Amino acid sequence: MARFTHVEGLSSADVQRLRSTYEPLAQSVRELIDATIRSEVDAADVATAKAHIDAATELLRAEQTDGPFGVRVTSDGERMPWGNPAIGIRNAIAPPLKLVRDEDGVVSTDFRLGAAYEGPPGHVHGGIVAMVLDHVLGEVAASDPETPRFTGTLTIRYLRATPLGDLRAEGRITRTDGIKTFAVGHVCDAQGITAEADGVFILPRWARG
């Protein structure tokens, strides 16, 4: 199984240039998704918008990678998981989550979910809540970039519906036992926790040395 794509000769300046090119594009597409869901313009305006979108899609497809983006690694070890649906800066379906690890090892992220993530009216789809928790706990479990840990099991307790809007997620390790790391976390809004999770994350065979 392919792990990472190593891109030699890609400097930090190159990465920043690529980020400044593609991150605004993805944000514009996020706005487009939201506008598509909530628009009430007439059929003629919809047809005009579709023609513009189709033209933009054709332009972007003129040169593209063969398959998914993957995780690209620069010559100095910087990882670029830019196609990831949770954190990918080039993935318009990603919020994207911006993760922070504090000195105690707790990983947290403040984020906002709008119309594109709705399940029950006015609330976040439970699968999206699960994705956020899976990613945050997986990130906290993989404290070393060279030893990623993949989800073995993830148990989620939905305490109440998670409203659309401003949210926060946190995760922390409870213990490590050999190739397994155990982590817990939660999603909350301004009123408190809406969902909590615990998971077991496993070091893959190819990373065991």
Side-chain angles (χ1 to χ4, degrees), residues 52-185:
H52 286 302
I53 294 166
D54 290 345
T57 300
E58 183 178 0
L59 178 63
L60 293 170
R61 287 206 185 279
E63 185 175 347
Q64 62 181 23
T65 185
D66 181 17
F69 189 86
V71 177
R72 302 181 186 182
V73 183
T74 67
S75 52
D76 61 0
E78 182 176 355
R79 292 186 298 167
M80 300 166 59
W82 288 2
N84 186 288
I87 61 173
I89 65 167
R90 288 184 62 164
N91 190 336
I93 68 172
L97 303 179
K98 296 182 179 179
L99 304 170
V100 177
R101 186 185 297 270
D102 70 17
E103 59 185 12
D104 295 323
V106 174
V107 169
S108 63
T109 178
D110 294 299
F111 58 102
R112 182 174 181 82
L113 297 179
Y117 304 96
E118 186 179 42
H123 293 84
V124 182
H125 191 291
I128 299 298
V129 174
M131 180 187 73
V132 169
L133 286 167
D134 180 58
H135 193 90
V136 171
L137 269 63
E139 186 73 20
V140 76
S143 56
D144 179 355
E146 297 304 316
T147 54
R149 294 177 186 266
F150 296 162
T151 310
T153 61
L154 184 69
T155 302
I156 301 174
R157 291 167 291 281
Y158 296 92
L159 306 182
R160 59 184 171 91
T162 301
L164 296 173
D166 295 323
L167 300 166
R168 180 178 177 83
E170 296 183 3
R172 62 181 176 84
I173 292 174
T174 55
R175 65 188 175 93
T176 297
D177 183 5
I179 64 171
K180 297 180 180 180
T181 294
F182 298 79
V184 297

Side-chain angles (χ1 to χ4, degrees), residues 14-30 60 63-64 69 72 80 82 88-92:
D14 293 328
V15 172
Q16 184 55 44
R17 175 180 55 79
L18 290 169
R19 178 185 286 271
S20 65
T21 297
Y22 289 105
E23 191 169 25
L25 171 64
Q27 182 57 38
S28 291
V29 178
R30 290 185 189 100
L60 293 170
E63 185 175 347
Q64 62 181 23
F69 189 86
R72 302 181 186 182
M80 300 166 59
W82 288 2
I89 65 167
R90 288 184 62 164
N91 190 336

